[in-house]
C-alpha cells in the first residue's frame, strides 16, 4: 500500500513528513494498522507463543506504537489544520480506534501474559536500567488491568462494567445539565448606565447577544467570558449581585429556571457508584483507587499536605481580605464586602497599587528574542545545542509558519521539535505539547524523540515582529518544560520514556519548573528589547511585575486548597449504603462542602452558593480525588527550582545536569518520589512554594 502515513510518517530515523499526509489517507492507514495490531495481539497471546519480553511486549509495542503515532498525527492535524475533511477523517475511525484500546486494556490473555512476565522479571533481579524500566512498565500495566476490573470473578466483572457504563452516562448528564442551566438564564440590561466600567469588548458581545435574541439593550449570559468582566469591572453593584446569584445557583434545586437541572442527585449517584467500584476492587474508598497510580501515598497524606498549606497561607489570606475590606470601605464606599464585590474591589485595588499595563510590558517581548532567551536558558541548564533544521526542501511541516529544530549534545542528535506558534482560524485554542515519536532503544538503532509544541500567539503584522505578553512568555516556557521532559529522556522503553508512565500528580513538575526562569531578572534583561527603541525591560517595571505577581496569593491559595480538600474528603469519607438515595447523598456532599469552608475559607460564600453542582473537574472530568494534583506538582516544581536558587546562577550548569539526570532523563521509569529525592537529597518541602508566592511569614 502506498500511503504517506505508513511510508513517510512512521519513520524511525528520518523526520516524519507532515507535509505529505492528507485526510484521504487516514481511513486506509488506520484500517491497515488496526488489522496489523489485532493480528499481533492474537499472535503474542497465542498459547503457543512463549512468554518473554521479546516475544510478547516487543512486537506488541511495535504494533501499538505504529497505530498510536498515526492516530496521534491525525488528531494533531485536526487540532492545528481543522477542516471538514480532517474532522470527517477523525470521526470515520474514532469508534474503531477507541474500541481497540478498550479491548487491549481488558484482554484476559494479555493480562495473563503480563502477569507471567512480571513474575519472571521479579525472579531474575537484573540490575541494569533497561531491566528496571521494563519492570516498571509491567507494573504499570498490571495495575491498570486491575483497576479496570480485570482480576474480578466473572459475575463481579459484569457488575463493574455496568457501574462503569452508568458512571459514563452520569458524567455526561452532569455536564449537560450544567450547560442547560447555564444557558437557561441570562441577565438582561436595558439601561446603559448600568454598564459603567465594563470593558468595551464585553459590552459589544452583550449587545450582539441581545440582537441574536431579538432583545433591546444588552444580554449577559452565565458563561464565564460574559460573567467575568461584569464581576471584575461593573460599577453597578446590583448588576454584579444579579449575575453572581444566577451563576452561583446554576444546576441546583434553587436555580433561576427551576429545579429541573439539579445536579445534586447526579453528584450523589456518581459518588455512590464510585464507592461501589472501589469496594469491588478491594479498596476502602474511591480516594484510594484514585491515588493507586499517583505519587501521593494515601488520602490522609494528601489531606495533611493540604491542611498544612492552608495553615501557612491563612495569615496572608486574612491580611489580603482585611486590606480589601478596608480599601472597599474607604475608596469604593462598600461597607459590607460581599461575594459579588470581591473581584471588582480586587481589580480596583490592583490597579491603584500596581499601575502598569500589560500592553506596556508587551512592547519589550519580541518573539524571536524571547525564543533565543529560552534557548539560552536551556543551553545553560543542560549543555545542549538547539539549531533550526537546515537544508531540507521542503521542510516536512504542515503549515508554512511551523519551525523545525534539532536538539543535540556534543554533535550528537538527541531529538527534534516542531514549533507552531501563531494563532490561526484552523487551530484549536490554548497551548500544548504533543509527542510525535517517543524514545526507544531498538536492537539495531536508537529512535530519537520528537515533540510538537503548539501555541496561539498573535501572528506578526507586516514587518513588525510578534510581541508577547508576559503570560504568553510563561506559557511558552511551560510547554517547553513538557517538551524537555519528552526530549531529554534517556529511557529506552517506550511505555516509560519521557512523559509516558509519569504519575499524574508529578507530570507538571518540569513545566512549572521552567516557568520560574521567566521571573529571573538576568534572563528577562537578555530576552527583552523594546520594539521601537530596542531598550531592555526597565528594572522598575520588572519590580512592579514581581509585586503584582503575588497580589492576593493567600486568598487564591486557600481557595485552591478548599476545592482540593472537599474533593478528597467526599471520596474518602462519604460511603453511602445500598439504601441511601442519590438526593440525600447529594445533600451530604453539600454539607461536607460547608463544613470545609467553615474550616478553611476566609470569606465564606453566601448560603445560596451551589459550587459543588458545577464542579465539573471532579464530577464530569478526570479529577475525582485528584484535584490536589495542581498544588502537589507546584510544591515539587517550586522546591526543585529552589535548588537552583540555593546554588546561585554560577552553578546552574551543575545543578541543571543533576536535574536532567535524576528527573528528566529517567521519566516514568521510576517513581517520581524516588526521582525527586535523588535530585534534592530529601523529600519535597512546601516552603519554596510559599516563599515564591510571598506567603512565608516575615519576622
Ligand atoms: Zn502543563
Amino acid at each position: 500500500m502506498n500511503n504517506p502515513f505508513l511510508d513517510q510518517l512512521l519513520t524511525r530515523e528520518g523526520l516524519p513528513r507532515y507535509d505529505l499526509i492528507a485526510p484521504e489517507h487516514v481511513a486506509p492507514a488506520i484500517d491497515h494498522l488496526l488489522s496489523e495490531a489485532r493480528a499481533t495481539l492474537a499472535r503474542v497471546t497465542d498459547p503457543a507463543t512463549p512468554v518473554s519480553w521479546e516475544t510478547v511486549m516487543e512486537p506488541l509495542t511495535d504494533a501499538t506504537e505504529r497505530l498510536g503515532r498515526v492516530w496521534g498525527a491525525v488528531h494533531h492535524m485536526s487540532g492545528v489544520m481543522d477542516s471538514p475533511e480532517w474532522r470527517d477523517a477523525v470521526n470515520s475511525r474514532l469508534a474503531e480506534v477507541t474500541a481497540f484500546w478498550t479491548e487491549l486494556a481488558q484482554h484476559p490473555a494479555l493480562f495473563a501474559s503480563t502477569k507471567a512476565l512480571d513474575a519472571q522479571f521479579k525472579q531474575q533481579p537484573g540490575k541494569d536500567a533497561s531491566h528496571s524500566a521494563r519492570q516498571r512498565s509491567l507494573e504499570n500495566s498490571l495495575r491498570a488491568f486491575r483497576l479496570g476490573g480485570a482480576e474480578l470473578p466473572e459475575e463481579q466483572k459484569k457488575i463493574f462494567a455496568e457501574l462503569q457504563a452508568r458512571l459514563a452516562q452520569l458524567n455526561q448528564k452532569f455536564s449537560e445539565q450544567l450547560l442547560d442551566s447555564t444557558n437557561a438564564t441570562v441577565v438582561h440590561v436595558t439601561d446603559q448606565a448600568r454598564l459603567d466600567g465594563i470593558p468595551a469588548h464585553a459590552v459589544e458581545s452583550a449587545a450582539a447577544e441581545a440582537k441574536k435574541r431579538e432583545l433591546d439593550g444588552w444580554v449577559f449570559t452565565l458563561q464565564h467570558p460574559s460573567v467575568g468582566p461584569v464581576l471584575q469591572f461593573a460599577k453597578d453593584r446590583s448588576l454584579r449581585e444579579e449575575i453572581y446569584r444566577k451563576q452561583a445557583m446554576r444546576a441546583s434545586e434553587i436555580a433561576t429556571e427551576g429545579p429541573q437541572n439539579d445536579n445534586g442527585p447526579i453528584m450523589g449517584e456518581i459518588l455512590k457508584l464510585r464507592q461501589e467500584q472501589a469496594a469491588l476492587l478491594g479498596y476502602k474508598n474511591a480516594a484510594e483507587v484514585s491515588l493507586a497510580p499517583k505519587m501521593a501515598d494515601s488520602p490522609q497524606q494528601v489531606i495533611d499536605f493540604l491542611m498544612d498549606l492552608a495553615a501557612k497561607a491563612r495569615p496572608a489570606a486574612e491580611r489580603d481580605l482585611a486590606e480589601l475590606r478596608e480599601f472597599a470601605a474607604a475608596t469604593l464606599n462598600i461597607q459590607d464586602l460581599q461575594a459579588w464585590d470581591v473581584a471588582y474591589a480586587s481589580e480596583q485595588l490592583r490597579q491603584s497599587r500596581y499601575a502598569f499595563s500589560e500592553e506596556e510590558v508587551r512592547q519589550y517581548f519580541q518573539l524571536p528574542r524571547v525564543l533565543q532567551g529560552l534557548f539560552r536558558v536551556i543551553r545553560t541548564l543542560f549543555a545542549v545545542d538547539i539549531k533550526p533544521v537546515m537544508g531540507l526542501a521542503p521542510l516536512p511541516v504542515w503549515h508554512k509558519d511551523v519551525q523545525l529544530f534539532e536538539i543535540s549534545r556534543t554533535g550528537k542528535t538527541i531529538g527534534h521539535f516542531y514549533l507552531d506558534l501563531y494563532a490561526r482560524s484552523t487551530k484549536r485554542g490554548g497551548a500544548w505539547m504533543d509527542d510525535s515519536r517517543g524514545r526507544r532503544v531498538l536492537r539495531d538503532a536508537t529512535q530519537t524523540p520528537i515533540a510538537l509544541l503548539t501555541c496561539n500567539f498573535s501572528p506578526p503584522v507586516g514587518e513588525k515582529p510578534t510581541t508577547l505578553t508576559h503570560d504568553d512568555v510563561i506559557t511558552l516556557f511551560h510547554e517547553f518544560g513538557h517538551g524537555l521532559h519528552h526530549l531529554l529522556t534517556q529511557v529506552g522503553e517506550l511505555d516509560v520514556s519521557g512523559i509516558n508512565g509519569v504519575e499524574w500528580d508529578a507530570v507538571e513538575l518540569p513545566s512549572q519548573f521552567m516557568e520560574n526562569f521567566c521571573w529571573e531578572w538576568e534572563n528577562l534583561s537578555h530576552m527583552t528589547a523594546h520594539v521601537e527603541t530596542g531598550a531592555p525591560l526597565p528594572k522598575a517595571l520588572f519590580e512592579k511585575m514581581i509585586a503584582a505577581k503575588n497580589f492576593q496569593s493567600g486568598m487564591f491559595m486557600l481557595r485552591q486548597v478548599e476545592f482540593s480538600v472537599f474533593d478528597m474528603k467526599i471520596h474518602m469519607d462519604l460511603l453511602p449504603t445500598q439504601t441511601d438515595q442519590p438526593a440525600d447523598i447529594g445533600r451530604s456532599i453539600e454539607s461536607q462542602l460547608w463544613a470545609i469552608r467553615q474550616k478553611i475559607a476566609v470569606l465564606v460564600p453566601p448560603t445560596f452558593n451551589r459550587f459543588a453542582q458545577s464542579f465539573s473537574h471532579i464530577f464530569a472530568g478526570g479529577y475525582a480525588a485528584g484535584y490536589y494534583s495542581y498544588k502537589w506538582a507546584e510544591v515539587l516544581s517550586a522546591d526543585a527550582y529552589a535548588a537552583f536558587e540555593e546554588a546561585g546562577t554560577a552553578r546552574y550548569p551543575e545543578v541543571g545536569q543533576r536535574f536532567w539526570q535524576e528527573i528528566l532523563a529517567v521519566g516514568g521509569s521510576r517513581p517520581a518520589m524516588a526521582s525527586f529525592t535523588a535530585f534534592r537529597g530529601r523529600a519535597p518541602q512546601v516552603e519554596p512554594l510559599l516563599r515564591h508566592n510571598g506567603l512565608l511569614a516575615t519576622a
Side-chain angles (χ1 to χ4, degrees), residues 431-617:
W432 66 93
M433 192 286 290
D434 255 338
D435 67 298
S436 160
R437 183 168 83 193
R439 187 171 189 275
R440 259 187 101 181
V441 175
L442 301 146
R443 249 164 284 180
D444 45 356
T446 294
Q447 172 176 297
T448 55
I450 299 173
L452 310 172
L453 289 140
T454 311
C455 293
N456 267 289
F457 302 144
S458 359
V461 182
E463 295 295 292
K464 279 196 166 178
T466 283
T467 54
L468 305 182
T469 65
H470 190 244
D471 274 346
D472 290 339
V473 177
I474 292 173
T475 300
L476 183 67
F477 274 63
H478 178 104
E479 296 311 329
F480 255 89
H482 288 307
L484 291 169
H485 207 179
H486 179 65
L487 293 166
L488 296 186
T489 189
Q490 285 170 353
V491 176
E493 290 302 335
L494 191 64
D495 277 352
V496 286
S497 85
I499 288 179
N500 296 339
V502 175
E503 295 100 311
W504 167 315
D505 44 359
V507 89
E508 296 292 335
L509 193 177
S511 52
Q512 293 178 347
F513 164 79
M514 284 301 291
E515 292 181 20
N516 290 290
F517 297 93
C518 304
W519 294 103
E520 286 189 358
W521 170 242
E522 229 290 285
N523 289 330
L524 291 194
S525 57
H526 269 95
M527 68 166 93
T528 50
H530 194 278
V531 274
E532 306 289 340
T533 67
L537 184 76
K539 188 83 189 266
L541 185 52
F542 171 71
E543 269 153 18
K544 278 191 204 168
M545 289 161 64
I546 291 274
K549 171 180 178 243
N550 291 334
F551 178 58
Q552 291 187 342
S553 60
M555 292 212 293
F556 180 75
M557 177 79 77
L558 278 197
R559 221 163 20 238
Q560 294 294 104
V561 169
E562 173 190 319
F563 299 161
S564 307
V565 171
F566 165 63
D567 165 43
M568 191 54 74
K569 274 282 191 191
I570 58 169
H571 289 99
M572 279 167 80
D573 295 348
L574 292 183
L575 300 165
T577 63
Q578 212 37 261
T579 52
D580 284 344
Q581 292 307 301
D584 296 328
I585 307 167
R587 277 188 284 275
S588 308
I589 292 175
E590 273 186 75
S591 44
Q592 270 273 14
L593 178 56
W594 286 107
I596 287 158
R597 278 171 168 164
Q598 293 299 339
K599 222 187 287 174
I600 296 175
V602 282
L603 187 68
V604 176
T607 51
F608 59 77
N609 182 298
R610 294 288 183 276
F611 167 74
Q613 279 80 340
S614 62
F615 199 6
S616 303
H617 271 85

Side-chain angles (χ1 to χ4, degrees), residues 118-246:
D118 182 61
Q120 280 180 24
F121 267 71
K122 279 188 178 126
Q123 271 165 20
Q124 30 151 301
K127 286 279 174 270
D128 67 326
S130 122
H131 184 94
S132 61
R134 287 176 179 183
Q135 197 164 343
R136 176 94 178 141
S137 145
L138 288 169
E139 283 162 10
N140 287 349
S141 19
L142 280 183
R143 191 180 45 230
F145 270 120
R146 290 193 175 115
L147 293 178
E151 214 159 35
L152 297 174
E154 278 316 307
E155 191 49 33
Q156 294 193 356
K157 214 181 250 177
K158 238 184 78 197
I159 300 173
F160 189 87
E162 283 164 15
L163 290 172
Q164 195 80 331
R166 176 70 185 147
L167 274 168
Q169 279 175 2
L170 289 167
N171 292 342
Q172 179 65 19
K173 181 127 206 233
F174 184 94
S175 304
E176 284 170 7
Q177 294 199 151
L178 177 58
L179 188 63
D180 288 348
S181 183
T182 303
N183 292 336
T185 308
V186 296
V187 174
H188 186 198
V189 174
T190 48
D191 175 6
Q192 188 162 10
R194 299 190 76 194
L195 304 175
D196 207 11
I198 304 174
H201 70 90
V203 171
E204 282 158 25
S205 303
E209 191 64 42
K211 204 164 190 184
K212 209 170 81 188
R213 293 164 188 261
E214 298 180 350
L215 290 171
D216 288 341
W218 301 267
V219 164
F220 293 93
T221 71
L222 299 187
Q223 303 278 4
H224 184 74
S226 185
V227 175
V230 174
L231 287 179
Q232 196 176 352
F233 296 104
K235 290 190 182 150
D236 184 329
R237 195 180 191 197
S238 67
L239 179 61
R240 296 199 306 269
E241 178 175 352
E242 185 182 350
I243 206 161
Y244 176 90
R245 270 181 187 277
K246 287 181 170 168

Side-chain angles (χ1 to χ4, degrees), residues 79-398:
V80 297
M81 294 298 282
D82 179 46
S83 70
E85 291 76 20
W86 276 114
R87 280 188 202 192
D88 286 348
V90 172
N91 289 324
S92 76
R93 290 300 178 274
L94 180 61
E96 286 83 348
V97 174
T98 315
F100 174 75
W101 294 125
T102 310
E103 184 186 326
L104 193 69
Q106 295 169 350
H107 201 279
L110 183 62
F111 179 44
S113 307
T114 311
K115 254 200 291 200
L117 249 180
D118 182 61
Q120 280 180 24
F121 267 71
K122 279 188 178 126
Q123 271 165 20
Q124 30 151 301
K127 286 279 174 270
D128 67 326
S130 122
H131 184 94
S132 61
R134 287 176 179 183
Q135 197 164 343
R136 176 94 178 141
S137 145
L138 288 169
E139 283 162 10
N140 287 349
S141 19
L142 280 183
R143 191 180 45 230
F145 270 120
R146 290 193 175 115
L147 293 178
E151 214 159 35
L152 297 174
E154 278 316 307
E155 191 49 33
Q156 294 193 356
K157 214 181 250 177
K158 238 184 78 197
I159 300 173
F160 189 87
E162 283 164 15
L163 290 172
Q164 195 80 331
R166 176 70 185 147
L167 274 168
Q169 279 175 2
L170 289 167
N171 292 342
Q172 179 65 19
K173 181 127 206 233
F174 184 94
S175 304
E176 284 170 7
Q177 294 199 151
L178 177 58
L179 188 63
D180 288 348
S181 183
T182 303
N183 292 336
T185 308
V186 296
V187 174
H188 186 198
V189 174
T190 48
D191 175 6
Q192 188 162 10
R194 299 190 76 194
L195 304 175
D196 207 11
I198 304 174
H201 70 90
V203 171
E204 282 158 25
S205 303
E209 191 64 42
K211 204 164 190 184
K212 209 170 81 188
R213 293 164 188 261
E214 298 180 350
L215 290 171
D216 288 341
W218 301 267
V219 164
F220 293 93
T221 71
L222 299 187
Q223 303 278 4
H224 184 74
S226 185
V227 175
V230 174
L231 287 179
Q232 196 176 352
F233 296 104
K235 290 190 182 150
D236 184 329
R237 195 180 191 197
S238 67
L239 179 61
R240 296 199 306 269
E241 178 175 352
E242 185 182 350
I243 206 161
Y244 176 90
R245 270 181 187 277
K246 287 181 170 168
Q247 202 202 28
M249 299 188 306
R250 280 175 309 155
S252 75
E253 83 288 4
I254 51 165
T256 316
E257 76 276 14
Q260 64 270 29
N261 293 314
D262 184 9
N263 267 343
I266 309 284
M267 287 155 29
E269 193 179 347
I270 288 174
L271 189 71
K272 184 176 177 190
L273 303 192
R274 282 181 185 158
Q275 302 293 25
E276 282 175 22
Q277 275 197 321
L280 278 175
L281 294 173
Y283 287 89
K284 270 203 280 219
N285 53 51
E288 285 192 349
V289 178
S290 160
L291 293 191
K294 294 193 174 86
M295 179 179 171
D297 287 329
S298 69
Q300 194 54 48
Q301 182 196 23
V302 173
I303 294 289
D304 293 345
F305 158 74
L306 292 167
M307 294 313 287
D308 180 45
L309 271 187
K312 285 175 170 145
R314 192 167 186 93
E318 279 167 351
R319 250 188 339 263
D320 290 342
L321 183 61
E323 268 173 15
L324 190 64
R325 283 209 167 108
E326 206 174 299
F327 174 83
T331 316
L332 307 171
N333 197 25
I334 298 174
Q335 306 303 330
D336 55 333
L337 191 81
Q338 299 293 333
W340 46 90
D341 301 320
V342 171
Y344 174 72
S346 299
E347 176 60 28
Q348 298 295 318
L349 176 59
R350 196 185 63 81
Q351 281 181 18
S352 78
R353 214 186 260 179
Y354 316 105
F356 70 87
S357 83
E358 224 158 60
E359 280 312 299
E360 183 187 355
V361 172
R362 181 196 269 270
Q363 300 305 311
Y364 291 93
F365 289 99
Q366 305 180 28
L367 179 59
R369 214 170 160 120
V370 169
L371 211 51
Q372 287 315 313
L374 167 65
F375 292 170
R376 182 175 164 275
V377 170
I378 296 173
R379 218 168 28 236
T380 309
L381 296 181
F382 307 118
V384 292
D385 282 321
I386 298 175
K387 284 197 309 262
V389 170
M390 307 282 229
L392 278 184
L395 267 188
V397 297
W398 52 90

